[in-house]
Amino acid sequence: MTAAATAFLVAVAGAACGAGDNASDSDRGDSGATAGLVRRLNMGDFGGGNAPQRNFNPFSPTALTTTFVYEMLFNINDYSCEVEPWLAESFTWESPTKLVVRTRKGVQWSDGKPFSAKDVAFTFNLFKKAPGLDRNGIWSALSSVTATSEDEVTFTFKEPSVPRFNQIADTRIVPEHIWSKESDPEKFTNPNPVGTGPFTVKSMNSQQLVLERNPRYWQADKVKVQELFFRKATGGAEVDKLRLQRGEYDWNAMFVPDIEKTYVAKDPKHNKYWFPPGANISLYMNLTKAPFNDVEFRRALTYAIDREEIKDKAQYGYVETASQTGLVLPGQKAWLAPDIENEGRVPYDPERAKQILADAGYQTGPDGKLRGKDGKPLPAFSFKVQNGWVDWIQAAQIIRDNLADLGITLNVQTPTPEIVDADRASGNFDMVFGVHGGGCNMYDAYRLPLHSAQTAPVGKPAASNFVRWRDARTDDLLDELAQAQEEEEQKRIVGELQKIMVEQVPVIPLWYGAQWFQYRTEKVVGWPSAEDPYAGPGDQLVIITRLRPNPEYRGD
């Protein structure tokens, strides 16, 4: 899977302008830092497809980018998973069903109206009034949301819901004095957005979007960029890569093969990249079938697969090999159980794999093929991979060759992605790849792939537990985690779940999907990097408040 990812498609950007809002080519230039500000950063795509409409409703699936216009209560650091106060200063779980949030004072909307806890309560109650906007399904758990004072909001849940905190924290807050006037908020395109964020919409047309610095921003002194200029990627991926190579983007996110040669070498002083690890890409085995239902067989496979070869040959060396714990390391190291050896990283050791199989009763026949515990040759197993996902196909071929050394035969098959997805959901497979974890919600990181409530009998679609893992201990731990209010208790439970991953091997994490992130230091410095990972690429509000002018920059 080598699809490029654009980083700015998610949120909104709003208002102003209209027809004729074309930023000229001369306007696209940079006159250098003035008054301590960099005039403009050039960004990537801004969402909305090839014919973007003026839609800045942050809850709409077709919205343009709104990341820099609307803000959330807390920033869950995309790299470290630390909770950072934003529009809210603190929170308290008074019980597993009652969350009290203290909002920040002194914040203004971009039209000058004061922000308060009432806006927060209004936003969440908006989802109840307009269920189509409730993209996280938060009201399936909520009972009420009430502003109990100018700076305090109380969330009451129907059942223990501590893991719901991330959804509460990450919701973009909209102003009551604007949105309460809309009779049909699901159809509201919000053409002139008013937010609390560091930028407002200056102009927009089908090819470009310009955001300008919000002078009323509550931490405006930290924003050193006057404008963000987004350009539509209508020329296709190859044109976009060419623009990146030419230094036409200061901030972007796309897959680029051989990036050292094609990007960095064009301007080694300024062209930089950092691809921090994202979700786990794992080997999923059908646990309803023999020998995959044998923990010793699965444990042997963890040693039989050469993850480094997959990293170097199938993944261009861009990724890191994954820990068997299910955590994304090193960012989530604070959650790592201290008694797990080598951070759960399993070395490539085919001799050990053979020994585990032999000790478990699997013998190799005179034909070199592995035999089951009944002495009969194991059948050839299918390994279904999405057609066209060349890096995944190559990874599967490496695994096929690795397991052939043990006398196990895999047939790598490449049906369409739709067929693979359907077969994975219904349990019609021997082996497939799967993606899980990567986010900061530890409950979902383990619940989605492992809770028995997320699976289904073979032949019926499973929600997310495609391997059909059913284990009472796993379910009990996840139910316990849903009620744990203190972080130390949460870490203890997550540590127990890691041990299940390591000892029972329900899935085999292989590598972490990369988060694409390219940036230039010509105009500004202070970007997050492998040397200074203060934020992940997705923490765009954090990043924009950390950038500062490059004192060497003199403009065009």
Side-chain angles (χ1 to χ4, degrees), residues 70-99:
Y70 291 104
E71 297 184 293
M72 59 283 166
L73 295 173
F74 299 91
N75 184 67
I76 310 294
N77 190 292
D78 191 35
Y79 184 75
S80 68
C81 292
E82 293 179 358
V83 178
E84 302 166 342
W86 212 259
L87 285 179
E89 294 183 328
S90 64
F91 68 93
T92 303
W93 281 99
E94 294 191 350
S95 75
T97 59
K98 186 177 180 181
L99 172 68

PDB file of all heavy atoms in Angstrom, residues 70-99:
ATOM      1  N   TYR A  70     -10.676  25.687  13.994  1.00  0.00           N
ATOM      2  CA  TYR A  70     -11.387  25.226  15.188  1.00  0.00           C
ATOM      3  C   TYR A  70     -10.432  24.449  16.086  1.00  0.00           C
ATOM      4  O   TYR A  70      -9.510  23.784  15.619  1.00  0.00           O
ATOM      5  CB  TYR A  70     -12.571  24.346  14.794  1.00  0.00           C
ATOM      6  CG  TYR A  70     -13.672  25.130  14.109  1.00  0.00           C
ATOM      7  CD1 TYR A  70     -13.851  25.063  12.735  1.00  0.00           C
ATOM      8  CD2 TYR A  70     -14.506  25.970  14.837  1.00  0.00           C
ATOM      9  CE1 TYR A  70     -14.842  25.803  12.106  1.00  0.00           C
ATOM     10  CE2 TYR A  70     -15.497  26.712  14.211  1.00  0.00           C
ATOM     11  CZ  TYR A  70     -15.653  26.625  12.844  1.00  0.00           C
ATOM     12  OH  TYR A  70     -16.629  27.367  12.227  1.00  0.00           O
ATOM     13  N   GLU A  71     -10.703  24.512  17.364  1.00  0.00           N
ATOM     14  CA  GLU A  71      -9.814  23.855  18.324  1.00  0.00           C
ATOM     15  C   GLU A  71     -10.593  22.876  19.201  1.00  0.00           C
ATOM     16  O   GLU A  71     -11.817  22.882  19.270  1.00  0.00           O
ATOM     17  CB  GLU A  71      -9.134  24.908  19.199  1.00  0.00           C
ATOM     18  CG  GLU A  71      -8.239  25.844  18.410  1.00  0.00           C
ATOM     19  CD  GLU A  71      -7.510  26.808  19.320  1.00  0.00           C
ATOM     20  OE1 GLU A  71      -8.189  27.660  19.931  1.00  0.00           O
ATOM     21  OE2 GLU A  71      -6.281  26.705  19.428  1.00  0.00           O
ATOM     22  N   MET A  72      -9.817  22.049  19.883  1.00  0.00           N
ATOM     23  CA  MET A  72     -10.369  21.009  20.731  1.00  0.00           C
ATOM     24  C   MET A  72     -10.102  21.350  22.205  1.00  0.00           C
ATOM     25  O   MET A  72      -9.339  22.253  22.519  1.00  0.00           O
ATOM     26  CB  MET A  72      -9.754  19.653  20.386  1.00  0.00           C
ATOM     27  CG  MET A  72      -8.248  19.611  20.541  1.00  0.00           C
ATOM     28  SD  MET A  72      -7.388  20.435  19.166  1.00  0.00           S
ATOM     29  CE  MET A  72      -5.758  20.588  19.859  1.00  0.00           C
ATOM     30  N   LEU A  73     -10.691  20.578  23.101  1.00  0.00           N
ATOM     31  CA  LEU A  73     -10.516  20.842  24.535  1.00  0.00           C
ATOM     32  C   LEU A  73      -9.099  20.497  24.993  1.00  0.00           C
ATOM     33  O   LEU A  73      -8.469  21.249  25.741  1.00  0.00           O
ATOM     34  CB  LEU A  73     -11.547  20.042  25.339  1.00  0.00           C
ATOM     35  CG  LEU A  73     -13.001  20.443  25.094  1.00  0.00           C
ATOM     36  CD1 LEU A  73     -13.945  19.476  25.809  1.00  0.00           C
ATOM     37  CD2 LEU A  73     -13.252  21.870  25.564  1.00  0.00           C
ATOM     38  N   PHE A  74      -8.629  19.351  24.569  1.00  0.00           N
ATOM     39  CA  PHE A  74      -7.273  18.907  24.924  1.00  0.00           C
ATOM     40  C   PHE A  74      -6.610  18.360  23.657  1.00  0.00           C
ATOM     41  O   PHE A  74      -7.286  17.793  22.795  1.00  0.00           O
ATOM     42  CB  PHE A  74      -7.294  17.783  25.976  1.00  0.00           C
ATOM     43  CG  PHE A  74      -7.921  18.176  27.281  1.00  0.00           C
ATOM     44  CD1 PHE A  74      -9.284  17.989  27.498  1.00  0.00           C
ATOM     45  CD2 PHE A  74      -7.166  18.743  28.303  1.00  0.00           C
ATOM     46  CE1 PHE A  74      -9.881  18.356  28.690  1.00  0.00           C
ATOM     47  CE2 PHE A  74      -7.753  19.106  29.497  1.00  0.00           C
ATOM     48  CZ  PHE A  74      -9.111  18.924  29.691  1.00  0.00           C
ATOM     49  N   ASN A  75      -5.303  18.530  23.566  1.00  0.00           N
ATOM     50  CA  ASN A  75      -4.568  17.877  22.485  1.00  0.00           C
ATOM     51  C   ASN A  75      -3.966  16.575  23.029  1.00  0.00           C
ATOM     52  O   ASN A  75      -3.195  16.608  23.989  1.00  0.00           O
ATOM     53  CB  ASN A  75      -3.441  18.778  21.973  1.00  0.00           C
ATOM     54  CG  ASN A  75      -2.726  18.164  20.779  1.00  0.00           C
ATOM     55  OD1 ASN A  75      -3.305  18.016  19.710  1.00  0.00           O
ATOM     56  ND2 ASN A  75      -1.471  17.788  20.970  1.00  0.00           N
ATOM     57  N   ILE A  76      -4.357  15.468  22.437  1.00  0.00           N
ATOM     58  CA  ILE A  76      -3.746  14.184  22.786  1.00  0.00           C
ATOM     59  C   ILE A  76      -2.530  14.048  21.876  1.00  0.00           C
ATOM     60  O   ILE A  76      -2.675  13.799  20.674  1.00  0.00           O
ATOM     61  CB  ILE A  76      -4.707  13.002  22.572  1.00  0.00           C
ATOM     62  CG1 ILE A  76      -6.064  13.279  23.232  1.00  0.00           C
ATOM     63  CG2 ILE A  76      -4.068  11.724  23.104  1.00  0.00           C
ATOM     64  CD1 ILE A  76      -6.031  13.362  24.716  1.00  0.00           C
ATOM     65  N   ASN A  77      -1.348  14.240  22.417  1.00  0.00           N
ATOM     66  CA  ASN A  77      -0.136  14.279  21.615  1.00  0.00           C
ATOM     67  C   ASN A  77      -0.036  13.037  20.727  1.00  0.00           C
ATOM     68  O   ASN A  77      -0.026  11.908  21.220  1.00  0.00           O
ATOM     69  CB  ASN A  77       1.091  14.397  22.525  1.00  0.00           C
ATOM     70  CG  ASN A  77       2.365  14.697  21.754  1.00  0.00           C
ATOM     71  OD1 ASN A  77       2.849  13.863  20.996  1.00  0.00           O
ATOM     72  ND2 ASN A  77       2.905  15.885  21.935  1.00  0.00           N
ATOM     73  N   ASP A  78       0.039  13.269  19.447  1.00  0.00           N
ATOM     74  CA  ASP A  78       0.011  12.195  18.463  1.00  0.00           C
ATOM     75  C   ASP A  78       1.227  11.274  18.578  1.00  0.00           C
ATOM     76  O   ASP A  78       1.186  10.124  18.155  1.00  0.00           O
ATOM     77  CB  ASP A  78      -0.021  12.848  17.071  1.00  0.00           C
ATOM     78  CG  ASP A  78      -0.317  11.856  15.972  1.00  0.00           C
ATOM     79  OD1 ASP A  78      -1.101  10.936  16.212  1.00  0.00           O
ATOM     80  OD2 ASP A  78       0.246  11.997  14.876  1.00  0.00           O
ATOM     81  N   TYR A  79       2.295  11.771  19.174  1.00  0.00           N
ATOM     82  CA  TYR A  79       3.509  10.955  19.298  1.00  0.00           C
ATOM     83  C   TYR A  79       3.637  10.326  20.687  1.00  0.00           C
ATOM     84  O   TYR A  79       3.842   9.130  20.812  1.00  0.00           O
ATOM     85  CB  TYR A  79       4.739  11.816  19.009  1.00  0.00           C
ATOM     86  CG  TYR A  79       6.040  11.029  19.030  1.00  0.00           C
ATOM     87  CD1 TYR A  79       6.371  10.189  17.967  1.00  0.00           C
ATOM     88  CD2 TYR A  79       6.907  11.099  20.118  1.00  0.00           C
ATOM     89  CE1 TYR A  79       7.528   9.452  17.985  1.00  0.00           C
ATOM     90  CE2 TYR A  79       8.074  10.362  20.140  1.00  0.00           C
ATOM     91  CZ  TYR A  79       8.389   9.539  19.069  1.00  0.00           C
ATOM     92  OH  TYR A  79       9.546   8.799  19.099  1.00  0.00           O
ATOM     93  N   SER A  80       3.490  11.154  21.725  1.00  0.00           N
ATOM     94  CA  SER A  80       3.711  10.649  23.092  1.00  0.00           C
ATOM     95  C   SER A  80       2.436  10.219  23.791  1.00  0.00           C
ATOM     96  O   SER A  80       2.487   9.576  24.835  1.00  0.00           O
ATOM     97  CB  SER A  80       4.387  11.732  23.929  1.00  0.00           C
ATOM     98  OG  SER A  80       3.501  12.821  24.146  1.00  0.00           O
ATOM     99  N   CYS A  81       1.285  10.612  23.243  1.00  0.00           N
ATOM    100  CA  CYS A  81      -0.028  10.342  23.847  1.00  0.00           C
ATOM    101  C   CYS A  81      -0.251  11.125  25.141  1.00  0.00           C
ATOM    102  O   CYS A  81      -1.186  10.825  25.888  1.00  0.00           O
ATOM    103  CB  CYS A  81      -0.250   8.841  24.086  1.00  0.00           C
ATOM    104  SG  CYS A  81      -0.403   7.901  22.570  1.00  0.00           S
ATOM    105  N   GLU A  82       0.566  12.108  25.420  1.00  0.00           N
ATOM    106  CA  GLU A  82       0.340  12.945  26.592  1.00  0.00           C
ATOM    107  C   GLU A  82      -0.875  13.848  26.345  1.00  0.00           C
ATOM    108  O   GLU A  82      -1.111  14.315  25.244  1.00  0.00           O
ATOM    109  CB  GLU A  82       1.573  13.800  26.886  1.00  0.00           C
ATOM    110  CG  GLU A  82       2.785  12.987  27.320  1.00  0.00           C
ATOM    111  CD  GLU A  82       3.997  13.866  27.567  1.00  0.00           C
ATOM    112  OE1 GLU A  82       3.898  15.089  27.357  1.00  0.00           O
ATOM    113  OE2 GLU A  82       5.041  13.332  27.971  1.00  0.00           O
ATOM    114  N   VAL A  83      -1.621  14.105  27.417  1.00  0.00           N
ATOM    115  CA  VAL A  83      -2.784  14.986  27.336  1.00  0.00           C
ATOM    116  C   VAL A  83      -2.316  16.416  27.602  1.00  0.00           C
ATOM    117  O   VAL A  83      -1.779  16.708  28.670  1.00  0.00           O
ATOM    118  CB  VAL A  83      -3.859  14.576  28.352  1.00  0.00           C
ATOM    119  CG1 VAL A  83      -5.043  15.544  28.288  1.00  0.00           C
ATOM    120  CG2 VAL A  83      -4.311  13.149  28.093  1.00  0.00           C
ATOM    121  N   GLU A  84      -2.520  17.296  26.623  1.00  0.00           N
ATOM    122  CA  GLU A  84      -2.049  18.673  26.741  1.00  0.00           C
ATOM    123  C   GLU A  84      -3.256  19.604  26.795  1.00  0.00           C
ATOM    124  O   GLU A  84      -4.110  19.586  25.901  1.00  0.00           O
ATOM    125  CB  GLU A  84      -1.159  19.024  25.543  1.00  0.00           C
ATOM    126  CG  GLU A  84       0.047  18.084  25.419  1.00  0.00           C
ATOM    127  CD  GLU A  84       0.749  18.200  24.057  1.00  0.00           C
ATOM    128  OE1 GLU A  84       0.127  18.721  23.115  1.00  0.00           O
ATOM    129  OE2 GLU A  84       1.910  17.776  23.973  1.00  0.00           O
ATOM    130  N   PRO A  85      -3.378  20.442  27.819  1.00  0.00           N
ATOM    131  CA  PRO A  85      -4.512  21.385  27.898  1.00  0.00           C
ATOM    132  C   PRO A  85      -4.563  22.272  26.659  1.00  0.00           C
ATOM    133  O   PRO A  85      -3.520  22.704  26.154  1.00  0.00           O
ATOM    134  CB  PRO A  85      -4.200  22.198  29.154  1.00  0.00           C
ATOM    135  CG  PRO A  85      -3.284  21.335  29.957  1.00  0.00           C
ATOM    136  CD  PRO A  85      -2.458  20.578  28.959  1.00  0.00           C
ATOM    137  N   TRP A  86      -5.793  22.544  26.191  1.00  0.00           N
ATOM    138  CA  TRP A  86      -5.933  23.456  25.044  1.00  0.00           C
ATOM    139  C   TRP A  86      -7.076  24.400  25.352  1.00  0.00           C
ATOM    140  O   TRP A  86      -6.890  25.323  26.146  1.00  0.00           O
ATOM    141  CB  TRP A  86      -6.142  22.650  23.754  1.00  0.00           C
ATOM    142  CG  TRP A  86      -5.554  23.354  22.573  1.00  0.00           C
ATOM    143  CD1 TRP A  86      -6.225  24.091  21.631  1.00  0.00           C
ATOM    144  CD2 TRP A  86      -4.160  23.431  22.221  1.00  0.00           C
ATOM    145  NE1 TRP A  86      -5.346  24.620  20.726  1.00  0.00           N
ATOM    146  CE2 TRP A  86      -4.074  24.226  21.053  1.00  0.00           C
ATOM    147  CE3 TRP A  86      -3.006  22.913  22.768  1.00  0.00           C
ATOM    148  CZ2 TRP A  86      -2.855  24.523  20.425  1.00  0.00           C
ATOM    149  CZ3 TRP A  86      -1.785  23.188  22.143  1.00  0.00           C
ATOM    150  CH2 TRP A  86      -1.720  23.976  20.995  1.00  0.00           C
ATOM    151  N   LEU A  87      -8.267  24.222  24.800  1.00  0.00           N
ATOM    152  CA  LEU A  87      -9.382  25.082  25.202  1.00  0.00           C
ATOM    153  C   LEU A  87      -9.848  24.752  26.611  1.00  0.00           C
ATOM    154  O   LEU A  87     -10.568  25.544  27.228  1.00  0.00           O
ATOM    155  CB  LEU A  87     -10.553  24.942  24.219  1.00  0.00           C
ATOM    156  CG  LEU A  87     -10.390  25.639  22.868  1.00  0.00           C
ATOM    157  CD1 LEU A  87     -11.619  25.404  21.992  1.00  0.00           C
ATOM    158  CD2 LEU A  87     -10.126  27.125  23.026  1.00  0.00           C
ATOM    159  N   ALA A  88      -9.490  23.629  27.107  1.00  0.00           N
ATOM    160  CA  ALA A  88      -9.754  23.266  28.504  1.00  0.00           C
ATOM    161  C   ALA A  88      -8.431  23.196  29.258  1.00  0.00           C
ATOM    162  O   ALA A  88      -7.391  22.875  28.678  1.00  0.00           O
ATOM    163  CB  ALA A  88     -10.475  21.931  28.582  1.00  0.00           C
ATOM    164  N   GLU A  89      -8.496  23.543  30.526  1.00  0.00           N
ATOM    165  CA  GLU A  89      -7.271  23.567  31.335  1.00  0.00           C
ATOM    166  C   GLU A  89      -7.096  22.311  32.171  1.00  0.00           C
ATOM    167  O   GLU A  89      -5.973  21.957  32.524  1.00  0.00           O
ATOM    168  CB  GLU A  89      -7.282  24.797  32.239  1.00  0.00           C
ATOM    169  CG  GLU A  89      -7.201  26.113  31.458  1.00  0.00           C
ATOM    170  CD  GLU A  89      -7.147  27.329  32.373  1.00  0.00           C
ATOM    171  OE1 GLU A  89      -7.751  27.274  33.464  1.00  0.00           O
ATOM    172  OE2 GLU A  89      -6.494  28.318  31.987  1.00  0.00           O
ATOM    173  N   SER A  90      -8.207  21.657  32.528  1.00  0.00           N
ATOM    174  CA  SER A  90      -8.084  20.469  33.381  1.00  0.00           C
ATOM    175  C   SER A  90      -9.370  19.653  33.289  1.00  0.00           C
ATOM    176  O   SER A  90     -10.392  20.131  32.778  1.00  0.00           O
ATOM    177  CB  SER A  90      -7.819  20.874  34.833  1.00  0.00           C
ATOM    178  OG  SER A  90      -8.925  21.597  35.346  1.00  0.00           O
ATOM    179  N   PHE A  91      -9.297  18.432  33.788  1.00  0.00           N
ATOM    180  CA  PHE A  91     -10.487  17.580  33.841  1.00  0.00           C
ATOM    181  C   PHE A  91     -10.406  16.664  35.053  1.00  0.00           C
ATOM    182  O   PHE A  91      -9.309  16.384  35.569  1.00  0.00           O
ATOM    183  CB  PHE A  91     -10.625  16.744  32.564  1.00  0.00           C
ATOM    184  CG  PHE A  91      -9.551  15.688  32.409  1.00  0.00           C
ATOM    185  CD1 PHE A  91      -9.756  14.389  32.860  1.00  0.00           C
ATOM    186  CD2 PHE A  91      -8.333  15.994  31.811  1.00  0.00           C
ATOM    187  CE1 PHE A  91      -8.779  13.409  32.720  1.00  0.00           C
ATOM    188  CE2 PHE A  91      -7.343  15.027  31.669  1.00  0.00           C
ATOM    189  CZ  PHE A  91      -7.580  13.735  32.119  1.00  0.00           C
ATOM    190  N   THR A  92     -11.562  16.212  35.492  1.00  0.00           N
ATOM    191  CA  THR A  92     -11.637  15.288  36.628  1.00  0.00           C
ATOM    192  C   THR A  92     -12.730  14.263  36.365  1.00  0.00           C
ATOM    193  O   THR A  92     -13.854  14.639  35.988  1.00  0.00           O
ATOM    194  CB  THR A  92     -11.982  16.043  37.930  1.00  0.00           C
ATOM    195  OG1 THR A  92     -11.015  17.067  38.148  1.00  0.00           O
ATOM    196  CG2 THR A  92     -11.996  15.094  39.109  1.00  0.00           C
ATOM    197  N   TRP A  93     -12.373  12.992  36.528  1.00  0.00           N
ATOM    198  CA  TRP A  93     -13.401  11.955  36.517  1.00  0.00           C
ATOM    199  C   TRP A  93     -13.894  11.823  37.953  1.00  0.00           C
ATOM    200  O   TRP A  93     -13.211  11.272  38.807  1.00  0.00           O
ATOM    201  CB  TRP A  93     -12.827  10.632  36.029  1.00  0.00           C
ATOM    202  CG  TRP A  93     -12.667  10.531  34.547  1.00  0.00           C
ATOM    203  CD1 TRP A  93     -11.522  10.722  33.833  1.00  0.00           C
ATOM    204  CD2 TRP A  93     -13.693  10.234  33.590  1.00  0.00           C
ATOM    205  NE1 TRP A  93     -11.755  10.571  32.480  1.00  0.00           N
ATOM    206  CE2 TRP A  93     -13.089  10.264  32.296  1.00  0.00           C
ATOM    207  CE3 TRP A  93     -15.062   9.958  33.685  1.00  0.00           C
ATOM    208  CZ2 TRP A  93     -13.818  10.015  31.138  1.00  0.00           C
ATOM    209  CZ3 TRP A  93     -15.780   9.706  32.511  1.00  0.00           C
ATOM    210  CH2 TRP A  93     -15.161   9.731  31.268  1.00  0.00           C
ATOM    211  N   GLU A  94     -15.083  12.355  38.229  1.00  0.00           N
ATOM    212  CA  GLU A  94     -15.627  12.249  39.583  1.00  0.00           C
ATOM    213  C   GLU A  94     -16.138  10.845  39.854  1.00  0.00           C
ATOM    214  O   GLU A  94     -16.267  10.430  41.004  1.00  0.00           O
ATOM    215  CB  GLU A  94     -16.717  13.288  39.787  1.00  0.00           C
ATOM    216  CG  GLU A  94     -16.166  14.731  39.759  1.00  0.00           C
ATOM    217  CD  GLU A  94     -17.169  15.757  40.215  1.00  0.00           C
ATOM    218  OE1 GLU A  94     -18.357  15.390  40.379  1.00  0.00           O
ATOM    219  OE2 GLU A  94     -16.763  16.909  40.430  1.00  0.00           O
ATOM    220  N   SER A  95     -16.455  10.142  38.802  1.00  0.00           N
ATOM    221  CA  SER A  95     -16.784   8.711  38.861  1.00  0.00           C
ATOM    222  C   SER A  95     -16.600   8.185  37.441  1.00  0.00           C
ATOM    223  O   SER A  95     -16.406   8.970  36.515  1.00  0.00           O
ATOM    224  CB  SER A  95     -18.234   8.504  39.333  1.00  0.00           C
ATOM    225  OG  SER A  95     -19.128   8.818  38.287  1.00  0.00           O
ATOM    226  N   PRO A  96     -16.648   6.854  37.218  1.00  0.00           N
ATOM    227  CA  PRO A  96     -16.486   6.349  35.841  1.00  0.00           C
ATOM    228  C   PRO A  96     -17.578   6.813  34.894  1.00  0.00           C
ATOM    229  O   PRO A  96     -17.468   6.613  33.688  1.00  0.00           O
ATOM    230  CB  PRO A  96     -16.513   4.829  36.024  1.00  0.00           C
ATOM    231  CG  PRO A  96     -16.076   4.599  37.428  1.00  0.00           C
ATOM    232  CD  PRO A  96     -16.652   5.743  38.206  1.00  0.00           C
ATOM    233  N   THR A  97     -18.637   7.454  35.416  1.00  0.00           N
ATOM    234  CA  THR A  97     -19.724   7.933  34.549  1.00  0.00           C
ATOM    235  C   THR A  97     -19.881   9.449  34.593  1.00  0.00           C
ATOM    236  O   THR A  97     -20.841   9.974  34.017  1.00  0.00           O
ATOM    237  CB  THR A  97     -21.063   7.284  34.949  1.00  0.00           C
ATOM    238  OG1 THR A  97     -21.346   7.612  36.319  1.00  0.00           O
ATOM    239  CG2 THR A  97     -21.021   5.775  34.779  1.00  0.00           C
ATOM    240  N   LYS A  98     -18.973  10.161  35.260  1.00  0.00           N
ATOM    241  CA  LYS A  98     -19.110  11.624  35.389  1.00  0.00           C
ATOM    242  C   LYS A  98     -17.753  12.308  35.193  1.00  0.00           C
ATOM    243  O   LYS A  98     -16.837  12.131  35.977  1.00  0.00           O
ATOM    244  CB  LYS A  98     -19.696  11.995  36.748  1.00  0.00           C
ATOM    245  CG  LYS A  98     -20.004  13.484  36.887  1.00  0.00           C
ATOM    246  CD  LYS A  98     -20.649  13.788  38.230  1.00  0.00           C
ATOM    247  CE  LYS A  98     -20.968  15.277  38.381  1.00  0.00           C
ATOM    248  NZ  LYS A  98     -21.564  15.565  39.702  1.00  0.00           N
ATOM    249  N   LEU A  99     -17.684  13.100  34.133  1.00  0.00           N
ATOM    250  CA  LEU A  99     -16.464  13.833  33.786  1.00  0.00           C
ATOM    251  C   LEU A  99     -16.730  15.329  33.910  1.00  0.00           C
ATOM    252  O   LEU A  99     -17.692  15.845  33.325  1.00  0.00           O
ATOM    253  CB  LEU A  99     -16.047  13.507  32.343  1.00  0.00           C
ATOM    254  CG  LEU A  99     -14.898  14.328  31.744  1.00  0.00           C
ATOM    255  CD1 LEU A  99     -13.571  14.008  32.438  1.00  0.00           C
ATOM    256  CD2 LEU A  99     -14.783  14.066  30.234  1.00  0.00           C
TER     257      LEU A  99
END
